[in-house]
Amino acid sequence: MSRIVNMKVFRGEKDSGQLHDYNVQIDDGMVVLDVIHRIQATDAPDLACRWNCKAGKCGSCSAEVNGKPSLMCMTRMDTLNNDKPITVEPLKTFPHVRDLVTDVSWNFSVNKKIKPFKPRPKDADGKQRMYQYEVDRVQEFRKCIECYLCQDVCHVLRNHGKHEEFAGPRFMVRLASLEMHPLDVEDRIPFIKEIGGVGFCNITKCCTEVCPEHIHITDNAIIPLKERVADRYYDPIQMLFRVLGGK
Amino acid sequence: MAYPVPGTREPFLATRRQDAWWVVPLAMATTFIVFIAYASWAAFQPVEYSKFGPYISPFFSPDLTRFIPGFTWSPALLILWVPAGFRLTCYYGRKAYYRSVALSPSACAVGKGDRDYKGERALPWVLNNLHRYFLYLVTVLVIFHWIHFFDAFRFNDGWGMGLGNIVVAADTIFLTLYVFSCHSLRHLVGGKIDCYSCAAAGVTRHKIWTGVSSLNNLHNVYFWCSLFTVGFADVYVRLCAMGVWSDVRFF
């Protein structure tokens, strides 16, 4: 059923701006991205937003809908209270560019710091073997679409601006996918502790709550990495065994 | 309305969220305060109220004072720091109190204000990395809980069963599930292995890891169920011992 909804959309450039009111006609089945497109078509052709697939797979249309980091293309209007104004704002953790667009290039620079996959030497017959059950847990991490909602909601980045000291949940997932790979032999534990800053995470699980791919970021990636760091740096018995074993 | 401009820190508890995000942290904080206040009070109560028939309050089990001649204080003081430390360093417990008590953050996308933050890289929270040691200690307590679970069927007039046995069973079962769904245990039994086909007993350890992972999915549920049942077990035994409640004997 068609109805009019009050949308408050952030408009502005480079750290300045405000919410603008748009009264938009909404039809059944519309998602927030559809509404933004309708605003572009009827009221504000210069409204800037990123989008691509409209299917929750490209991770481009990340925004904050009613204060919650969400993919606009996966947020149905009928899941929101249409009787109240609905706010749509850009991600708060990254530098603002214009309207709903932010500069997420910091994430790419973090990614470059991570040591790439380094496979162990091949077996005597020239093959490398691994089994499906060994890579099941790593494959969960490959679902990541790099929407950066987890980075946006993480209070270490969002509220404390620790961009120089903490890699964020997205890259803890990437580090876990490399560290847990059965063929990989690279040692990234010192990186995870010192440069990745896993100790900044206090496991409040907001990253897991907003992940549109439902990756168990905290339980399956960050906590196992914290345990591996504890093995190396905080477990006196294991440290003693390593010393006695000459490792 | 220009607030909040992207890239700036949100003021304390500021948010655009329209849902009742404050309900869960408020309920958790209230539960923690009530439980800690009750457990602290109970620990200093006379030891005679910690037993009724074959039932022993989990707060007072095992009675370590027997091994310390001249120790006249409550045995609970020798015990409670172990489960308290386990819960304080527990990965789910950390989420619960960081959100509800420390308000760091109180909920997702809710402002924290302009305060310093070091996370778990500095004292005291860096000590949470010792969670595995509390796991080792609390596993011993689980063994004692099971010993008391079986002992609780031996009444003065022979074997029997009362409502108290169900209360003790609930405490014992939920504590066991809570401890054996621990993230650190999940890591230690097999999570630390990358290549199971290369490791000694790798296939077996992968199976154990899979089992603990299944339990781990409900670690938060077991955390709360265990907290409530251990507290209620103490209340039940205490009120029976004080004569306020009567234990119902089934046979």
Side-chain angles (χ1 to χ4, degrees):
Chain A
M1 194 175 70
S2 187
R3 58 203 179 277
I4 302 293
V5 173
N6 179 238
M7 302 291 292
K8 290 182 177 294
V9 182
F10 193 90
R11 302 294 311 272
E13 281 188 50
K14 304 265 184 185
D15 295 342
S16 66
Q18 60 185 345
L19 293 174
H20 277 241
D21 281 289
Y22 299 99
N23 292 317
V24 188
Q25 184 173 324
I26 304 297
D27 302 319
D28 286 345
M30 286 180 82
V31 295
V32 172
L33 183 59
D34 293 329
V35 180
I36 295 297
H37 284 162
R38 184 158 286 179
I39 293 171
Q40 286 178 325
T42 58
D43 294 287
D46 60 339
L47 170 60
C49 80
R50 283 207 185 95
W51 67 281
N52 192 2
C53 74
K54 293 185 78 175
K57 288 297 168 194
C58 72
S60 301
C61 64
S62 301
E64 300 198 2
V65 179
N66 278 350
K68 282 188 178 177
S70 322
L71 291 181
M72 288 194 286
C73 71
M74 300 302 287
T75 308
R76 290 176 62 101
M77 289 298 290
D78 57 13
T79 62
L80 306 171
N81 183 355
N82 290 184
D83 296 329
K84 284 184 172 179
I86 293 169
T87 60
V88 184
E89 296 168 278
L91 303 181
K92 293 193 173 62
T93 297
F94 307 114
H96 189 218
V97 177
R98 187 182 166 195
D99 298 342
L100 300 179
V101 177
T102 51
D103 176 5
V104 296
S105 58
W106 168 77
N107 294 285
F108 311 141
S109 65
V110 174
N111 196 36
K112 285 179 185 168
K113 294 178 190 171
I114 297 173
K115 290 181 184 173
F117 179 70
K118 180 180 172 185
R120 66 170 184 249
K122 291 180 178 176
D123 298 338
D125 60 2
K127 293 181 179 176
Q128 280 181 318
R129 289 177 177 82
M130 61 179 178
Y131 296 88
Q132 182 59 45
Y133 74 91
E134 295 180 295
V135 286
D136 278 343
R137 62 176 173 172
V138 174
Q139 285 180 332
E140 179 192 10
F141 306 138
R142 308 290 291 189
K143 293 193 299 180
C144 177
I145 59 173
E146 297 203 313
C147 60
Y148 301 125
L149 292 177
C150 57
Q151 304 284 78
D152 179 54
V153 80
C154 175
H155 70 109
V156 181
L157 302 171
R158 181 189 184 94
N159 300 109
H160 300 289
K162 301 279 186 189
H163 294 66
E164 295 301 315
E165 299 164 87
F166 182 53
R170 160 54 192 137
F171 296 105
M172 292 299 152
V173 167
R174 174 155 162 69
L175 285 160
S177 75
L178 292 165
E179 272 300 293
M180 296 178 186
H181 197 286
L183 294 182
D184 182 77
V185 291
E186 186 63 78
D187 178 15
R188 299 177 191 81
I189 299 299
F191 177 90
I192 291 166
K193 178 178 182 285
E194 300 298 341
I195 299 170
V198 72
F200 278 110
C201 172
N202 68 349
I203 44 183
T204 41
K205 286 198 176 184
C206 288
C207 49
T208 305
E209 285 186 20
V210 301
C211 179
E213 286 294 313
H214 308 294
I215 300 170
H216 295 86
I217 299 173
T218 319
D219 288 313
N220 290 349
I222 297 178
I223 292 175
L225 291 182
K226 276 179 167 274
E227 285 294 310
R228 287 170 186 233
V229 169
D231 280 346
R232 182 81 59 92
Y233 296 100
Y234 299 109
D235 187 332
I237 293 178
Q238 289 204 34
M239 289 160 82
L240 179 65
F241 275 117
R242 273 199 302 277
V243 170
L244 294 175
K247 292 182 182 175
Chain B
M1 185 171 155
Y3 160 76
V5 176
T8 59
R9 291 184 184 184
E10 295 159 294
F12 185 55
L13 300 186
T15 183
R16 293 246 196 249
R17 287 179 61 169
Q18 295 180 354
D19 57 333
W21 58 267
W22 47 270
V23 170
V24 172
L26 183 63
M28 284 183 181
T30 306
T31 307
F32 282 136
I33 291 167
V34 169
F35 184 85
I36 291 168
Y38 174 76
S40 305
W41 171 81
F44 286 98
Q45 295 308 298
V47 72
E48 54 265 30
Y49 293 135
S50 67
K51 295 175 185 169
F52 179 76
Y55 311 136
I56 300 174
S57 162
F59 288 4
F60 292 76
S61 165
D63 185 0
L64 295 178
T65 54
R66 287 182 296 176
F67 306 106
I68 307 175
F71 189 89
T72 55
W73 288 12
S74 166
L77 297 175
L78 296 174
I79 299 298
L80 285 181
W81 65 275
V82 173
F86 184 68
R87 287 181 188 274
L88 195 67
T89 58
C90 163
Y91 283 102
Y92 174 75
R94 279 140 79 175
K95 173 197 169 185
Y97 67 72
Y98 282 136
R99 281 200 187 192
S100 62
V101 180
L103 306 179
S104 180
S106 46
C108 305
V110 173
K112 293 178 69 181
D114 193 13
R115 55 171 151 159
D116 193 26
Y117 178 79
K118 293 189 174 68
E120 298 188 332
R121 289 166 64 100
L123 287 170
W125 307 119
V126 70
L127 296 176
N128 281 331
N129 287 300
L130 298 176
H131 181 52
R132 58 190 61 183
Y133 286 94
F134 284 104
L135 169 68
Y136 306 147
L137 292 170
V138 86
T139 304
V140 177
L141 281 192
V142 170
I143 294 168
F144 278 101
H145 272 242
W146 279 101
I147 291 170
H148 289 310
F149 166 78
F150 290 110
D151 280 348
F153 291 99
R154 290 198 305 196
F155 289 79
N156 289 335
D157 53 354
W159 292 94
M161 184 176 170
L163 184 59
N165 290 100
I166 295 174
V167 174
V168 171
D171 163 45
T172 306
I173 291 167
F174 279 120
L175 180 70
T176 306
L177 289 170
Y178 172 50
V179 171
F180 287 94
S181 60
C182 166
H183 290 87
S184 282
L185 181 67
R186 186 184 181 219
H187 170 75
L188 294 167
V189 297
K192 60 164 66 177
I193 298 172
D194 297 334
C195 179
Y196 291 100
S197 58
C198 317
V203 176
T204 305
R205 294 183 71 183
H206 181 265
K207 285 180 181 169
I208 298 170
W209 174 79
T210 305
V212 176
S213 297
S214 300
L215 287 176
N216 182 260
N217 287 331
L218 291 174
H219 192 54
N220 56 337
V221 175
Y222 300 142
F223 177 93
W224 290 110
C225 287
S226 172
L227 193 77
F228 285 119
T229 51
V230 74
F232 185 70
D234 182 82
V235 171
Y236 188 86
V237 172
R238 184 174 304 282
L239 292 182
C240 286
M242 292 169 74
V244 178
W245 282 356
S246 300
D247 182 43
V248 179
R249 273 290 288 275
F250 301 136
F251 59 87

